[in-house]
Amino acid sequence: MALIKCPECGKEISTNANACPHCGTAIRICPECGAVYTNTQPTCTNCGYVFDKTSAPPMDAEKATGGAIQNQWLARASADKKIAMTLKYAGKALDVLDIVIYLIGVLLFILWSKKDPVERVFEVDSTLSNIKICIAFGCIVYIISAVRDYASERIMQIRFSNWLTVSNIDAKEYLKMHCNDLGGEKEQEAFTLVAYGEYLKGNQTEKNYFFKTLIIKIIIAVTAAVLVGVSITENIKIAMEFICLDQSVDYSKLNYVLIAFAVVGLLASGIFGIIMSTIQDNRMNKWFNGLTNIQTEENTQNTDTQNN
């Protein structure tokens, strides 16, 4: 049993205690950094942890900004903040990893081709096996990267929408008031997040549609990766056969049918993501336009009333 100091009277108490036995002050301990506070402390001043994540202060629609709403969400939903940071940096890491893996494969091929003819013949199978491993890892990284690129933004929009629901926040008035007076790029991005969050709130059909398309995206990405892997492997085998015979590679003998299938697979994976995202964006924009049209009509009616 560890001991801590009461933030009110400074005397030592147990970490299991809900209140100080000496002065009666109710306490709370930050689960992130271990700092001790009175039970009325809303956030940890040491690490920023928010103790009460299920509620949020009422929104002043007129003064609110998309950035402030987004920051409030990430401050109160620490898990979402970690997921957002992970998805953000994972994309760059995956791109670098994919390049490194394929460069290793290319290096293995070049080093093998520089050896004398006898060594090349003896080491062709082992070198090809190592290159296949690089290709396999590269394809796996591509699949993860393709799915991340397609799903990361929508996943965070759904999580933000869930937070709006749990926190009982209605952002419609904010969206109607500020649709025409956005600031810089960051505020526009935050406004889009809030709009999607409000659109998805309670819209289970749209959420289910996304998860269905995500499954299709995974299938297409896996198919494309397999086609690319088979294409590269088969054509490397053809090139290695020429090199083993100490001949220049006859590029007309390469399997261009496999190359064509691989290219089609990659294009299909990219185009599918663009089409599905466009469809989902159009649905949200249709909902949003209906929302702002209501506000425009209300403003017109108010103006006519004042004029009369």
Side-chain angles (χ1 to χ4, degrees):
M1 179 183 69
L3 295 176
I4 55 175
K5 287 187 177 182
C6 171
E8 189 66 25
C9 67
K11 293 183 179 180
E12 290 189 339
I13 57 175
S14 168
T15 52
N16 296 327
N18 294 321
C20 176
H22 306 288
C23 65
T25 302
I27 64 168
R28 59 183 9 165
I29 302 173
C30 176
E32 295 287 338
C33 68
V36 185
Y37 301 98
T38 61
N39 202 39
T40 57
Q41 179 73 20
T43 60
C44 175
T45 57
N46 186 45
C47 68
Y49 179 83
V50 180
F51 292 104
D52 186 5
K53 296 180 173 58
T54 58
S55 63
M59 179 190 297
D60 186 336
E62 187 174 353
K63 297 180 180 179
T65 64
I69 299 171
Q70 183 181 21
N71 291 337
Q72 186 184 59
W73 162 50
L74 294 176
R76 292 179 175 273
S78 57
D80 289 350
K81 184 177 182 179
K82 292 176 182 177
I83 292 172
M85 295 299 290
T86 300
L87 290 174
K88 177 181 177 181
Y89 292 110
K92 298 177 182 178
L94 288 169
D95 290 340
V96 172
L97 182 59
D98 211 14
I99 293 172
V100 170
I101 290 172
Y102 280 111
L103 285 177
I104 292 173
V106 171
L107 182 62
L108 288 172
F109 180 81
I110 293 174
L111 291 175
W112 171 83
S113 66
K114 296 296 182 182
K115 295 182 178 181
D116 63 71
V118 177
E119 282 187 294
R120 287 203 295 263
V121 173
F122 279 108
E123 295 183 14
V124 62
D125 289 335
S126 62
T127 302
L128 183 59
S129 296
N130 291 332
I131 292 174
K132 284 181 179 179
I133 292 172
C134 290
I135 294 171
F137 275 109
C139 289
I140 292 172
V141 172
Y142 162 75
I143 293 169
I144 297 172
S145 181
V147 173
R148 188 214 73 90
D149 291 343
Y150 176 73
S152 59
E153 184 178 19
R154 199 70 74 213
I155 286 174
M156 295 315 299
Q157 289 168 350
I158 291 174
R159 293 188 70 89
F160 175 70
S161 173
N162 293 339
W163 177 78
L164 288 178
T165 302
V166 171
S167 301
N168 197 27
I169 294 178
D170 188 347
K172 290 189 182 70
E173 290 303 316
Y174 157 76
L175 293 172
K176 289 189 285 186
M177 285 186 178
H178 299 276
C179 60
N180 296 319
D181 60 350
L182 298 178
E185 183 178 346
K186 287 187 177 180
E187 177 60 20
Q188 291 177 15
E189 292 176 358
F191 183 87
T192 301
L193 173 68
V194 176
Y196 257 108
E198 190 63 35
Y199 167 63
L200 293 171
K201 194 169 67 176
N203 191 345
Q204 193 60 44
T205 301
E206 189 66 31
K207 293 177 183 178
N208 291 339
Y209 175 78
F210 161 70
F211 287 114
K212 289 177 183 177
T213 60
L214 177 60
I215 293 172
I216 298 173
K217 173 66 178 182
I218 292 172
I219 294 172
I220 295 175
V222 170
T223 303
V226 170
L227 290 172
V228 169
V230 171
S231 174
I232 295 175
T233 302
E234 289 302 313
N235 284 295
I236 284 178
K237 285 173 64 177
I238 294 171
M240 293 179 86
E241 288 173 1
F242 280 103
I243 295 173
C244 280
L245 297 172
D246 210 17
Q247 298 176 0
S248 298
V249 178
D250 184 355
Y251 293 100
S252 65
K253 301 294 184 181
L254 296 179
N255 194 327
Y256 287 101
V257 174
L258 284 176
I259 294 175
F261 275 116
V263 171
V264 170
L266 291 173
L267 289 174
S269 180
I271 292 172
F272 175 82
I274 293 172
I275 291 175
M276 290 301 101
S277 295
T278 301
I279 291 173
Q280 290 166 349
D281 288 344
N282 287 340
R283 288 178 177 177
M284 195 281 289
N285 287 332
K286 184 178 180 180
W287 169 85
F288 180 73
N289 289 334
L291 184 69
T292 52
N293 285 339
I294 292 174
Q295 177 66 19
T296 302
E297 291 174 2
E298 289 177 353
N299 292 340
T300 302
Q301 291 175 359
N302 291 336
T303 302
D304 292 341
T305 302
Q306 291 175 358
N307 291 335
N308 292 334

PDB file of all heavy atoms in Angstrom, residues 2 9 29 34-35 49 58 70 72 94 105 108 123 152 158 203 230 234 260 281 300:
ATOM      1  N   ALA A   2       0.727   2.083  -1.047  1.00  0.00           N
ATOM      2  CA  ALA A   2       1.536   3.301  -1.154  1.00  0.00           C
ATOM      3  C   ALA A   2       0.879   4.440  -0.374  1.00  0.00           C
ATOM      4  O   ALA A   2      -0.332   4.439  -0.139  1.00  0.00           O
ATOM      5  CB  ALA A   2       1.690   3.678  -2.619  1.00  0.00           C
ATOM      6  N   CYS A   9      -4.329  19.127   3.538  1.00  0.00           N
ATOM      7  CA  CYS A   9      -3.634  19.297   4.825  1.00  0.00           C
ATOM      8  C   CYS A   9      -2.180  18.837   4.799  1.00  0.00           C
ATOM      9  O   CYS A   9      -1.425  19.105   5.728  1.00  0.00           O
ATOM     10  CB  CYS A   9      -4.390  18.566   5.934  1.00  0.00           C
ATOM     11  SG  CYS A   9      -4.374  16.756   5.772  1.00  0.00           S
ATOM     12  N   ILE A  29      -6.934  10.838  -7.717  1.00  0.00           N
ATOM     13  CA  ILE A  29      -5.561  10.631  -8.176  1.00  0.00           C
ATOM     14  C   ILE A  29      -5.563  10.498  -9.691  1.00  0.00           C
ATOM     15  O   ILE A  29      -6.344   9.724 -10.265  1.00  0.00           O
ATOM     16  CB  ILE A  29      -4.950   9.365  -7.544  1.00  0.00           C
ATOM     17  CG1 ILE A  29      -4.965   9.468  -6.020  1.00  0.00           C
ATOM     18  CG2 ILE A  29      -3.520   9.138  -8.034  1.00  0.00           C
ATOM     19  CD1 ILE A  29      -4.533   8.201  -5.313  1.00  0.00           C
ATOM     20  N   GLY A  34      -0.249  10.183 -11.706  1.00  0.00           N
ATOM     21  CA  GLY A  34      -0.241   9.923 -10.265  1.00  0.00           C
ATOM     22  C   GLY A  34      -0.357  11.152  -9.385  1.00  0.00           C
ATOM     23  O   GLY A  34      -0.260  11.051  -8.156  1.00  0.00           O
ATOM     24  N   ALA A  35      -0.572  12.324  -9.962  1.00  0.00           N
ATOM     25  CA  ALA A  35      -0.715  13.539  -9.163  1.00  0.00           C
ATOM     26  C   ALA A  35      -2.012  13.480  -8.340  1.00  0.00           C
ATOM     27  O   ALA A  35      -3.001  12.870  -8.756  1.00  0.00           O
ATOM     28  CB  ALA A  35      -0.721  14.765 -10.065  1.00  0.00           C
ATOM     29  N   TYR A  49      -4.725  15.465 -18.021  1.00  0.00           N
ATOM     30  CA  TYR A  49      -5.772  14.446 -17.991  1.00  0.00           C
ATOM     31  C   TYR A  49      -7.085  15.053 -17.479  1.00  0.00           C
ATOM     32  O   TYR A  49      -7.094  15.809 -16.517  1.00  0.00           O
ATOM     33  CB  TYR A  49      -5.350  13.286 -17.091  1.00  0.00           C
ATOM     34  CG  TYR A  49      -6.376  12.186 -16.963  1.00  0.00           C
ATOM     35  CD1 TYR A  49      -6.479  11.193 -17.926  1.00  0.00           C
ATOM     36  CD2 TYR A  49      -7.252  12.137 -15.871  1.00  0.00           C
ATOM     37  CE1 TYR A  49      -7.410  10.177 -17.813  1.00  0.00           C
ATOM     38  CE2 TYR A  49      -8.194  11.128 -15.749  1.00  0.00           C
ATOM     39  CZ  TYR A  49      -8.271  10.149 -16.727  1.00  0.00           C
ATOM     40  OH  TYR A  49      -9.205   9.152 -16.616  1.00  0.00           O
ATOM     41  N   PRO A  58     -21.945  23.335 -21.565  1.00  0.00           N
ATOM     42  CA  PRO A  58     -22.830  23.710 -22.662  1.00  0.00           C
ATOM     43  C   PRO A  58     -22.082  24.544 -23.705  1.00  0.00           C
ATOM     44  O   PRO A  58     -21.212  25.339 -23.382  1.00  0.00           O
ATOM     45  CB  PRO A  58     -23.918  24.537 -21.971  1.00  0.00           C
ATOM     46  CG  PRO A  58     -23.858  24.134 -20.531  1.00  0.00           C
ATOM     47  CD  PRO A  58     -22.429  23.803 -20.258  1.00  0.00           C
ATOM     48  N   GLN A  70     -12.916  20.639 -31.218  1.00  0.00           N
ATOM     49  CA  GLN A  70     -11.999  19.521 -31.469  1.00  0.00           C
ATOM     50  C   GLN A  70     -11.030  19.335 -30.303  1.00  0.00           C
ATOM     51  O   GLN A  70     -10.790  18.208 -29.860  1.00  0.00           O
ATOM     52  CB  GLN A  70     -11.228  19.774 -32.761  1.00  0.00           C
ATOM     53  CG  GLN A  70     -10.284  18.647 -33.159  1.00  0.00           C
ATOM     54  CD  GLN A  70      -9.537  18.954 -34.436  1.00  0.00           C
ATOM     55  OE1 GLN A  70      -9.398  20.105 -34.843  1.00  0.00           O
ATOM     56  NE2 GLN A  70      -9.055  17.923 -35.096  1.00  0.00           N
ATOM     57  N   GLN A  72     -11.476  20.244 -27.220  1.00  0.00           N
ATOM     58  CA  GLN A  72     -12.230  19.773 -26.055  1.00  0.00           C
ATOM     59  C   GLN A  72     -12.439  18.261 -26.141  1.00  0.00           C
ATOM     60  O   GLN A  72     -12.304  17.545 -25.143  1.00  0.00           O
ATOM     61  CB  GLN A  72     -13.575  20.489 -25.987  1.00  0.00           C
ATOM     62  CG  GLN A  72     -14.367  20.176 -24.726  1.00  0.00           C
ATOM     63  CD  GLN A  72     -15.736  20.834 -24.747  1.00  0.00           C
ATOM     64  OE1 GLN A  72     -16.532  20.585 -25.648  1.00  0.00           O
ATOM     65  NE2 GLN A  72     -16.005  21.675 -23.778  1.00  0.00           N
ATOM     66  N   LEU A  94       4.719   3.875 -42.259  1.00  0.00           N
ATOM     67  CA  LEU A  94       4.454   2.783 -43.196  1.00  0.00           C
ATOM     68  C   LEU A  94       5.045   3.072 -44.572  1.00  0.00           C
ATOM     69  O   LEU A  94       5.587   2.169 -45.229  1.00  0.00           O
ATOM     70  CB  LEU A  94       2.947   2.541 -43.307  1.00  0.00           C
ATOM     71  CG  LEU A  94       2.277   1.884 -42.096  1.00  0.00           C
ATOM     72  CD1 LEU A  94       0.763   1.943 -42.234  1.00  0.00           C
ATOM     73  CD2 LEU A  94       2.740   0.442 -41.947  1.00  0.00           C
ATOM     74  N   GLY A 105      15.276  -5.501 -51.007  1.00  0.00           N
ATOM     75  CA  GLY A 105      15.097  -6.502 -52.053  1.00  0.00           C
ATOM     76  C   GLY A 105      15.923  -6.191 -53.290  1.00  0.00           C
ATOM     77  O   GLY A 105      16.577  -7.071 -53.870  1.00  0.00           O
ATOM     78  N   LEU A 108      19.609  -6.854 -52.557  1.00  0.00           N
ATOM     79  CA  LEU A 108      19.916  -8.286 -52.601  1.00  0.00           C
ATOM     80  C   LEU A 108      20.101  -8.760 -54.041  1.00  0.00           C
ATOM     81  O   LEU A 108      21.015  -9.540 -54.346  1.00  0.00           O
ATOM     82  CB  LEU A 108      18.794  -9.080 -51.934  1.00  0.00           C
ATOM     83  CG  LEU A 108      18.683  -8.981 -50.409  1.00  0.00           C
ATOM     84  CD1 LEU A 108      17.400  -9.653 -49.928  1.00  0.00           C
ATOM     85  CD2 LEU A 108      19.890  -9.614 -49.746  1.00  0.00           C
ATOM     86  N   GLU A 123      23.744 -19.673 -55.582  1.00  0.00           N
ATOM     87  CA  GLU A 123      23.014 -18.834 -54.631  1.00  0.00           C
ATOM     88  C   GLU A 123      21.698 -18.284 -55.183  1.00  0.00           C
ATOM     89  O   GLU A 123      21.036 -17.482 -54.524  1.00  0.00           O
ATOM     90  CB  GLU A 123      23.897 -17.663 -54.178  1.00  0.00           C
ATOM     91  CG  GLU A 123      25.126 -18.111 -53.391  1.00  0.00           C
ATOM     92  CD  GLU A 123      25.953 -16.941 -52.892  1.00  0.00           C
ATOM     93  OE1 GLU A 123      25.434 -15.799 -52.933  1.00  0.00           O
ATOM     94  OE2 GLU A 123      27.093 -17.161 -52.473  1.00  0.00           O
ATOM     95  N   SER A 152      -8.704   5.920 -41.795  1.00  0.00           N
ATOM     96  CA  SER A 152      -8.305   6.678 -40.601  1.00  0.00           C
ATOM     97  C   SER A 152      -9.180   7.906 -40.357  1.00  0.00           C
ATOM     98  O   SER A 152      -9.657   8.128 -39.234  1.00  0.00           O
ATOM     99  CB  SER A 152      -6.837   7.103 -40.712  1.00  0.00           C
ATOM    100  OG  SER A 152      -6.628   7.905 -41.867  1.00  0.00           O
ATOM    101  N   ILE A 158     -16.174   9.040 -36.758  1.00  0.00           N
ATOM    102  CA  ILE A 158     -17.149   8.224 -36.040  1.00  0.00           C
ATOM    103  C   ILE A 158     -16.910   8.317 -34.539  1.00  0.00           C
ATOM    104  O   ILE A 158     -17.855   8.447 -33.749  1.00  0.00           O
ATOM    105  CB  ILE A 158     -17.078   6.758 -36.525  1.00  0.00           C
ATOM    106  CG1 ILE A 158     -17.597   6.655 -37.962  1.00  0.00           C
ATOM    107  CG2 ILE A 158     -17.877   5.842 -35.602  1.00  0.00           C
ATOM    108  CD1 ILE A 158     -17.428   5.283 -38.584  1.00  0.00           C
ATOM    109  N   ASN A 203     -26.653   8.285 -36.841  1.00  0.00           N
ATOM    110  CA  ASN A 203     -26.863   7.802 -38.213  1.00  0.00           C
ATOM    111  C   ASN A 203     -26.168   6.447 -38.379  1.00  0.00           C
ATOM    112  O   ASN A 203     -25.106   6.343 -38.990  1.00  0.00           O
ATOM    113  CB  ASN A 203     -26.307   8.820 -39.214  1.00  0.00           C
ATOM    114  CG  ASN A 203     -26.729   8.503 -40.640  1.00  0.00           C
ATOM    115  OD1 ASN A 203     -27.190   7.411 -40.944  1.00  0.00           O
ATOM    116  ND2 ASN A 203     -26.553   9.485 -41.521  1.00  0.00           N
ATOM    117  N   VAL A 230       3.143 -11.364 -56.946  1.00  0.00           N
ATOM    118  CA  VAL A 230       3.338 -12.425 -57.942  1.00  0.00           C
ATOM    119  C   VAL A 230       4.033 -11.873 -59.177  1.00  0.00           C
ATOM    120  O   VAL A 230       4.949 -12.504 -59.729  1.00  0.00           O
ATOM    121  CB  VAL A 230       1.979 -13.059 -58.318  1.00  0.00           C
ATOM    122  CG1 VAL A 230       2.142 -14.007 -59.499  1.00  0.00           C
ATOM    123  CG2 VAL A 230       1.396 -13.793 -57.120  1.00  0.00           C
ATOM    124  N   GLU A 234       7.711 -13.300 -60.291  1.00  0.00           N
ATOM    125  CA  GLU A 234       7.858 -14.034 -61.547  1.00  0.00           C
ATOM    126  C   GLU A 234       8.826 -13.346 -62.496  1.00  0.00           C
ATOM    127  O   GLU A 234       9.639 -14.005 -63.163  1.00  0.00           O
ATOM    128  CB  GLU A 234       6.490 -14.193 -62.220  1.00  0.00           C
ATOM    129  CG  GLU A 234       5.566 -15.166 -61.514  1.00  0.00           C
ATOM    130  CD  GLU A 234       6.160 -16.561 -61.404  1.00  0.00           C
ATOM    131  OE1 GLU A 234       6.682 -17.072 -62.420  1.00  0.00           O
ATOM    132  OE2 GLU A 234       6.127 -17.124 -60.303  1.00  0.00           O
ATOM    133  N   ALA A 260       0.417  -6.078 -66.034  1.00  0.00           N
ATOM    134  CA  ALA A 260      -0.835  -5.361 -66.320  1.00  0.00           C
ATOM    135  C   ALA A 260      -1.872  -5.608 -65.227  1.00  0.00           C
ATOM    136  O   ALA A 260      -2.550  -4.683 -64.777  1.00  0.00           O
ATOM    137  CB  ALA A 260      -1.384  -5.806 -67.681  1.00  0.00           C
ATOM    138  N   ASP A 281     -18.985  11.837 -48.924  1.00  0.00           N
ATOM    139  CA  ASP A 281     -18.920  13.295 -48.805  1.00  0.00           C
ATOM    140  C   ASP A 281     -20.172  13.944 -49.378  1.00  0.00           C
ATOM    141  O   ASP A 281     -20.698  14.916 -48.813  1.00  0.00           O
ATOM    142  CB  ASP A 281     -17.676  13.829 -49.528  1.00  0.00           C
ATOM    143  CG  ASP A 281     -16.391  13.496 -48.784  1.00  0.00           C
ATOM    144  OD1 ASP A 281     -16.463  13.146 -47.598  1.00  0.00           O
ATOM    145  OD2 ASP A 281     -15.307  13.582 -49.407  1.00  0.00           O
ATOM    146  N   THR A 300     -34.190  34.857 -43.190  1.00  0.00           N
ATOM    147  CA  THR A 300     -35.017  35.639 -44.118  1.00  0.00           C
ATOM    148  C   THR A 300     -36.343  36.008 -43.464  1.00  0.00           C
ATOM    149  O   THR A 300     -36.820  37.142 -43.569  1.00  0.00           O
ATOM    150  CB  THR A 300     -35.278  34.832 -45.413  1.00  0.00           C
ATOM    151  OG1 THR A 300     -34.020  34.498 -46.003  1.00  0.00           O
ATOM    152  CG2 THR A 300     -36.099  35.648 -46.396  1.00  0.00           C
TER     153      THR A 300
END
